[in-house]
């Protein structure tokens, strides 16, 4: 879980200051300072304004895991290659079976024609 203070500090750096962030969100720079110090919490109205201004859900941001060193971990794909290999083997087996069936169907027809002659 990310701390509100960390989220605010990141945004303060991007917008170049607490006062700038406050103006964007319709609150004072002092209010932003009190949020970063933890002496007060932003209102729901501020979270709504955050969504309007930054197109980000402030509450959801707080429940995200923080990125380590700016590098995000890759998503888990355990066994994906093995699954693909297994699928490929089954597909090849099906194609071979289809070819054998087609050859088997063609052979008796040709034999039956030769018998009729």
């Amino acid at each position: 879980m990310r701390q509100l203070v960390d989220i605010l500090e990141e945004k303060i750096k991007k917008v170049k200051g607490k006062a700038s962030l406050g103006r964007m969100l319709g609150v004072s720079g002092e209010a932003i300072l009190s949020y970063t110090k933890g002496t007060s919490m932003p209102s729901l109205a501020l979270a709504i304004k955050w969504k309007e201004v930054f197109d980000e859900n402030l509450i959801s941001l707080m429940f995200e895991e923080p990125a380590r060193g700016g590098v995000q971990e890759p998503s888990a794909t355990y066994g994906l290659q093995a699954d693909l290999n297994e699928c490929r083997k089954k597909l090849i087996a099906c194609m071979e079976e289809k070819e054998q069936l087609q050859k088997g169907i063609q052979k008796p027809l040709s034999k039956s024609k030769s018998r009729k002659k």
Side-chain angles (χ1 to χ4, degrees):
M1 228 167 105
R2 294 177 64 193
Q3 296 295 316
L4 177 62
V5 174
D6 297 332
I7 296 167
L8 289 170
E9 290 294 335
E10 287 174 17
K11 199 57 79 175
I12 289 166
K13 287 179 185 174
K14 286 183 182 178
V15 299
K16 309 282 193 259
K18 292 177 184 77
S20 177
L21 180 61
R23 279 192 299 275
M24 295 172 88
L25 297 174
V27 296
S28 67
E30 290 81 22
I32 299 294
L33 179 64
S34 69
Y35 302 150
T36 58
K37 285 185 175 182
T39 56
S40 67
M41 289 294 292
S43 65
L44 182 59
L46 186 113
I48 293 169
K49 186 69 174 179
W50 186 285
K51 174 70 174 168
E52 291 173 1
V53 172
F54 299 114
D55 196 30
E56 297 173 336
N57 184 327
L58 180 60
I59 297 166
S60 294
L61 288 174
M62 292 173 64
F63 288 97
E64 288 180 354
E65 288 298 319
R68 297 179 188 166
V71 178
Q72 294 181 356
E73 287 190 34
S75 60
T77 56
Y78 304 108
L80 182 62
Q81 187 64 42
D83 290 344
L84 290 174
N85 287 339
E86 186 64 29
C87 240
R88 183 175 178 269
K89 288 176 186 176
K90 287 179 181 179
L91 179 62
I92 290 170
C94 284
M95 291 171 64
E96 288 172 351
E97 184 179 349
K98 178 184 172 187
E99 286 177 16
Q100 289 174 356
L101 287 171
Q102 286 177 339
K103 288 178 184 177
I105 292 171
Q106 291 174 357
K107 286 182 182 178
L109 289 176
S110 60
K111 289 181 182 177
S112 64
K113 287 181 183 178
S114 61
R115 289 181 195 164
K116 289 181 182 178
K117 290 183 181 178

